Amino acid sequence: MLTKKQNLLETIRGGKPDRIVNQFEYVALMFDPCTLEAMGKVQKGGSWLNGWGVRIEFPENVPGMFPDTSPEHVVIKDIVDWKKYVKAPNTKFSDEAWQACLDQVKDVDRNEVFIAPFVAPGIFEKIHYLMGMEEAMINFYEEPEAMHELIEYLTDYELDVAKEICDHLHPDALFHHDDWGSQLSSFLSPAMFEEFIEPAYKKIYGYYKEHGVELIVHHSDSYGENLIPSMIRMGIDIWQGIMSTNNIKAAIENYGGKISFQGGIDNGKVDREDWTKEKVWAEAKNNIDTNYSGHYFIPATVMGEPGSIYPGVYDAVSEYIAKVNAEKYGIKEEVKSANMMTQG
């Protein structure tokens, strides 16, 4: 039987996987000191200032944190004067600060799974965190020069983080967040995305690839099939979070071999207070029957981590995939509860 790591690589390289990749089973996600500094003190059900000075809210029963960009809290008051308002978080930490993360890395069997730092938020998210979504959209059109300057500054910060991560953890994968669309459309047109966002990620993901990272997994739980050519040029290996509002089957047929896809089970459909195992299994079955043909696809929920808002939903999907693997491929594996993310 192939290891989880081997099976993932066979799947995304068009080789001979011996079973369906079961959601996030192929990675051990790690929080590094730089990312923790930037995110700030995460408080479920509370609010705080992150490392960029952005006020963050994290209500109960929502999939993730989001910024409060009301006028009294917005960081960038005027994009033309962004340098006056924006100061990047610290990226230099002592060996002691890295030790907890290093200890977790030591406990992972690198032959079995990838070591993947969890980096969030991404370039586009940083932009609208700092100024608000409406202002960001307007500024792409009205102040492109200032936006290019800001993106270059944010990219340099991410490159500093990448250096620290690679120097300390020597990861073989990266899991990077940046939501690029709603359920129905991308936030930017492909041309504007190519102009503003793609160059930043070519530098960032290029650096990781040049420093030992084999696998780039990018999270964007959204519509985004119109951005796939950019994703490929950026160096993304797996688009994690592809929603059912995309034509997943066509994406696999058109781009398989250049990029792979993870998702298809929209959390909004299954990750609900009234969820049942039968409903979750029905969605998982439909996703596999519709989209899975052996290569370039990992059936999974679209949330940006191995878990769910309502306990048990993610595990139910994993149980169904394990059931298919046992019945169709004759491979039985223990399904562990969703707790793959470790934090330093």
Side-chain angles (χ1 to χ4, degrees), residues 12-83:
I12 68 173
R13 292 175 177 173
K16 296 181 178 179
D18 60 14
R19 62 195 183 278
I20 300 172
V21 177
N22 199 330
Q23 304 204 88
F24 279 96
E25 67 173 1
Y26 61 93
V27 289
L29 302 178
M30 302 285 170
F31 274 115
D32 65 275
C34 300
T35 300
L36 291 174
E37 176 79 4
M39 292 177 72
K41 187 177 182 181
V42 177
Q43 306 171 55
K44 183 77 170 180
S47 63
W48 67 97
L49 290 181
N50 72 7
W52 294 88
V54 177
R55 188 171 188 268
I56 302 293
E57 302 277 355
F58 198 171
E60 298 287 351
N61 296 330
V62 299
M65 306 169 284
F66 61 87
D68 179 351
T69 54
S70 53
E72 64 269 29
H73 295 299
V74 69
V75 174
I76 297 180
K77 312 296 183 184
D78 183 344
I79 183 59
V80 175
D81 294 324
W82 69 266
K83 293 178 183 178

Side-chain angles (χ1 to χ4, degrees), residues 4-283:
K4 294 172 183 177
K5 189 173 184 178
Q6 290 169 338
N7 194 56
L8 181 280
L9 292 175
E10 291 295 310
T11 298
I12 68 173
R13 292 175 177 173
K16 296 181 178 179
D18 60 14
R19 62 195 183 278
I20 300 172
V21 177
N22 199 330
Q23 304 204 88
F24 279 96
E25 67 173 1
Y26 61 93
V27 289
L29 302 178
M30 302 285 170
F31 274 115
D32 65 275
C34 300
T35 300
L36 291 174
E37 176 79 4
M39 292 177 72
K41 187 177 182 181
V42 177
Q43 306 171 55
K44 183 77 170 180
S47 63
W48 67 97
L49 290 181
N50 72 7
W52 294 88
V54 177
R55 188 171 188 268
I56 302 293
E57 302 277 355
F58 198 171
E60 298 287 351
N61 296 330
V62 299
M65 306 169 284
F66 61 87
D68 179 351
T69 54
S70 53
E72 64 269 29
H73 295 299
V74 69
V75 174
I76 297 180
K77 312 296 183 184
D78 183 344
I79 183 59
V80 175
D81 294 324
W82 69 266
K83 293 178 183 178
K84 183 168 70 175
Y85 303 109
V86 180
K87 179 174 171 45
N90 177 39
T91 60
K92 303 298 181 183
F93 295 90
S94 66
D95 291 342
E96 289 75 20
W98 281 92
Q99 194 57 51
C101 191
L102 290 169
D103 289 343
Q104 291 166 355
V105 169
K106 290 177 184 177
D107 292 336
V108 176
D109 183 353
R110 284 180 178 260
N111 293 317
E112 184 67 27
V113 298
F114 290 90
I115 295 288
F118 181 106
V119 177
I123 296 295
F124 181 80
E125 289 177 341
K126 286 186 181 74
I127 292 168
H128 73 77
Y129 274 33
L130 288 166
M131 67 184 71
M133 183 64 82
E134 295 86 354
E135 284 298 311
M137 295 297 100
I138 292 169
N139 288 331
F140 278 116
Y141 285 96
E142 295 190 348
E143 298 291 347
E145 184 177 348
M147 290 293 275
H148 277 297
E149 291 175 355
L150 175 60
I151 290 170
E152 184 177 1
Y153 180 82
L154 299 177
T155 301
D156 287 343
Y157 163 79
E158 285 230 14
L159 289 171
D160 287 344
V161 172
K163 182 180 187 307
E164 295 301 311
I165 287 174
C166 292
D167 286 351
H168 286 88
L169 300 183
H170 308 290
D172 49 7
L174 172 70
F175 184 63
H176 198 293
H177 273 230
D178 206 13
D179 288 335
W180 291 332
S182 68
Q183 294 185 35
L184 301 178
S185 68
S186 59
F187 293 130
L188 300 178
S189 70
M192 187 169 280
F193 187 88
E194 182 179 352
E195 176 186 348
F196 287 94
I197 305 300
E198 183 181 317
Y201 278 103
K202 282 182 176 178
K203 292 178 182 178
I204 295 164
Y205 290 160
Y207 183 93
Y208 280 103
K209 286 281 180 92
E210 291 167 3
H211 290 78
V213 169
E214 182 178 5
L215 184 71
I216 301 290
V217 184
H218 183 97
H219 165 81
S220 178
D221 52 343
S222 64
Y223 176 88
E225 62 183 272
N226 58 337
L227 304 180
I228 292 174
S230 275
M231 296 185 199
I232 293 169
R233 292 191 294 267
M234 289 173 176
I236 294 172
D237 297 292
I238 299 173
W239 169 15
Q240 185 273 322
I242 186 170
M243 299 188 72
S244 65
T245 50
N246 298 274
N247 189 333
I248 298 174
K249 189 172 182 179
I252 295 168
E253 291 173 352
N254 292 332
Y255 299 105
K258 298 178 181 178
I259 190 172
S260 293
F261 308 93
Q262 178 177 337
I265 304 173
D266 300 351
N267 279 69
K269 295 180 179 180
V270 298
D271 198 2
R272 305 157 52 101
E273 188 175 7
D274 63 350
W275 78 275
T276 66
K277 189 173 184 177
E278 290 73 24
K279 291 178 182 177
V280 173
W281 279 27
E283 285 292 334

Side-chain angles (χ1 to χ4, degrees), residues 286-311:
N286 179 64
N287 185 35
I288 292 172
D289 291 349
T290 303
N291 300 312
Y292 185 78
S293 60
H295 297 114
Y296 315 125
F297 184 65
I298 302 163
T301 57
V302 301
M303 190 166 169
E305 61 182 83
S308 51
I309 298 171
Y310 294 94

